[in-house]
Each structure stands twice: as structure tokens, then as C-alpha cells.
Amino acid sequence: MSAKRSPGTRSGRRPGNVDTRAAILDAARARFAEAGFDKTSIRAVAAAAQVDPALVHHYFGTKQQLFAAVVEFPVDPEATLTIVDSAPLDELGAAIVRAVVGIWDSPAGPGIVAMVRSMLTGDADMTRTFLLKVVLERVRVRIARPDDDGQARVSLAAAQMMGVLVARKVICVEPLASMPLDAVVAAVGPSMQRYLTGRIEAAGPN
């Protein structure tokens, strides 16, 4: 005689326990690597981990937050991206600089620098995808217009911020390395704003 399952228990599903989070991460890591960010769904990850999709949301929230956990991003990207979403369009450049440099200067900063170093050595395909598909895409959506998809603009803005990061945190070029946050925002914000919303050549398809 087969054993009776407890009421509410679903066959083939892993219950929530100390190993469930790790199992979901393993399944997500494999799925993102195989199918990419766009073609990976919470439901597909849940099926691979043998859990209910609601359990994936319980542990990780959105697909973007799950991807951040997979690449071991040192901070929850949603906190920074919410600032981007709420900033007025004509203040977007300064808002991004303040939010991003603020993270670099926080206790999470060394983790960000380590990720950038790994990207520069070519050993971080999933981290690169995370930045392109999650972080930069959120900005691109804000600035896209019918005649300009914003791709060139966000790539220029990313290059600007990458240069500031390397100079400030990797090779420590003074006085930028020890410049107060407000001074960095005042100096770099206008350039970022021009890339995002100003006049530039070849900004996108016309």
C-alpha cells in the first residue's frame, strides 16, 4: 500500500527548506547560461529546480533579482534602478552618477570592483549580460524615442561610468580617487546627461 501524502503536498515538487534556495540558484545558473536572460523564465527555472514558481519569487523576487543573485551582484540592483526610474528625465545623468558612485564608495564597493576586474579579463559573460540586459536596459527604456532606440546612448553612458570607476577605484587617479561624491556628480553628471538626452551624432536609427 502506498504511503499517503500529507494534505497540500504536491508530488514532484521540492518543499521549501535549507537546500531549496541553493537548488533554485543552481537551476537558474544553468538555465541562464544555456538559454540567456531573455529566454529564461521563472517558470522554467522552477521546473528545473522542481519547485513551485511561487517559491522562486519568495526567495528571489523578480527574474532580474534572481539573475543578480546568480552573478553574485554585491547589492540588490532594484534599489539603484528605482532611483533611475524616479529621477526626472532632465536630471537622469546626475541621478545615475550619484547612485552608482555612492555604491562604489559603500561597503559593497570592493565587490563591484572585483566584478569589473573579472569583466576586463574576459571571464564574466553572465555578469556582462546582467549589466546589458538588466541595468542598462532599464535606463534605455527611460530614454528611448521613436527615432532613437537609446542603445548608442546607454553604451556611451556606460563607457563614461566605467572610466570613472577604473580611475577612481582601480588605478586610483587623483584627485578623482578622493573627490567627494557631490564633486563627482557635479563634474560627471552633465556629460552623462548629454549622452542620455542631449545631441550626439549617430545616437540611434533615424
Side-chain angles (χ1 to χ4, degrees), residues 74-119:
V75 296
D76 182 355
E78 191 62 31
T80 301
L81 293 174
T82 298
I83 295 174
V84 172
D85 290 342
S86 61
L89 196 59
D90 60 353
E91 298 175 11
L92 190 57
I96 291 173
V97 175
R98 183 173 297 280
V100 173
V101 176
I103 292 173
W104 298 343
D105 291 348
S106 76
I112 301 288
V113 173
M115 291 184 69
V116 170
R117 287 182 184 274
S118 68
M119 288 177 62

Side-chain angles (χ1 to χ4, degrees), residues 13-24 50-51 55 58-59:
R13 295 290 188 181
R14 183 193 305 269
N17 56 46
V18 294
D19 297 324
T20 300
R21 189 178 191 278
I24 293 171
Q50 297 185 325
V51 301
L55 205 55
H58 169 73
Y59 280 108

Side-chain angles (χ1 to χ4, degrees), residues 121-153:
T121 63
D123 187 29
D125 288 343
M126 290 188 70
T127 301
R128 189 177 300 107
T129 299
F130 170 74
L131 293 175
L132 293 174
K133 295 293 187 177
V134 177
V135 178
L136 294 183
E137 179 63 13
R138 190 86 155 250
V139 177
R140 188 197 67 78
V141 169
R142 283 287 321 268
I143 65 173
R145 303 193 305 262
D147 62 339
D148 181 355
D149 63 9
Q151 293 283 6
R153 292 181 179 277

Side-chain angles (χ1 to χ4, degrees), residues 18-39:
V18 294
D19 297 324
T20 300
R21 189 178 191 278
I24 293 171
L25 273 179
D26 288 343
R29 188 175 295 109
R31 185 71 185 179
F32 282 129
E34 177 184 354
F37 178 81
D38 290 336
K39 294 182 179 180

